[in-house]
Amino acid sequence: MQDPVKEFNDYRAKMNEVILGKQNKVINRLFNLDTNTYAEGALSVKTKEMLGLVASMVLRCDDCIKYHLGKSYEQGITTEEMYEIFAVANIVGGTIVIPHTRRAAEYWEALQTADVS
């Protein structure tokens, strides 16, 4: 069985290459806008990743949750901070977010042991 972190990152990179390779102006601009939104600005990248993670959990997008978990890990977010992020997402989104919190916790644990370099 492949490492879930590597599997997610490999699939995401492969499919982004396919999508962006089609040179659709709107899609390419949307991807660029997304990238620039999470760049350092008045808010730190760390803060933006926390916001993105809460929004992704409330919207119940598992791929988005994994992506923001990985970026949060890269930003040095601690497990204690992560569980406070989970708490915010659950209070905002309600109990429907609990299954996504389970999967997020599982992926966060995988990030702790993965070679994400």
Side-chain angles (χ1 to χ4, degrees):
M1 182 170 90
Q2 190 176 18
D3 170 9
V5 174
K6 181 173 177 12
E7 185 177 326
F8 174 75
N9 288 331
D10 288 351
Y11 177 77
R12 183 177 179 280
K14 173 186 167 187
M15 294 315 299
N16 282 352
E17 187 175 321
V18 168
I19 293 165
L20 293 171
K22 303 304 181 201
Q23 296 299 308
N24 178 280
K25 182 170 48 173
V26 174
I27 290 175
N28 286 16
R29 286 181 176 174
L30 180 64
F31 273 53
N32 183 272
L33 181 61
D34 181 71
T35 298
N36 284 306
T37 297
Y38 288 93
E40 193 75 25
L43 296 175
S44 69
V45 172
K46 181 177 177 178
T47 298
K48 289 179 179 185
E49 288 304 331
M50 290 187 284
L51 292 167
L53 179 55
V54 167
S56 296
M57 291 182 74
V58 170
L59 292 169
R60 301 185 307 273
C61 175
D62 284 331
D63 277 7
C64 305
I65 292 167
K66 286 179 180 178
Y67 174 79
H68 289 293
L69 284 166
K71 291 298 185 179
S72 294
Y73 181 81
E74 289 173 10
Q75 289 300 309
I77 290 175
T78 67
T79 298
E80 185 177 17
E81 290 172 316
M82 185 53 64
Y83 275 78
E84 287 195 16
I85 295 165
F86 291 166
V88 170
N90 278 268
I91 204 69
V92 171
T95 57
I96 192 74
V97 177
I98 292 172
H100 300 277
T101 304
R102 289 185 191 112
R103 288 189 291 277
E106 177 182 35
Y107 195 75
W108 183 252
E109 293 297 314
L111 283 164
Q112 309 299 305
T113 60
D115 179 15
V116 293
S117 55

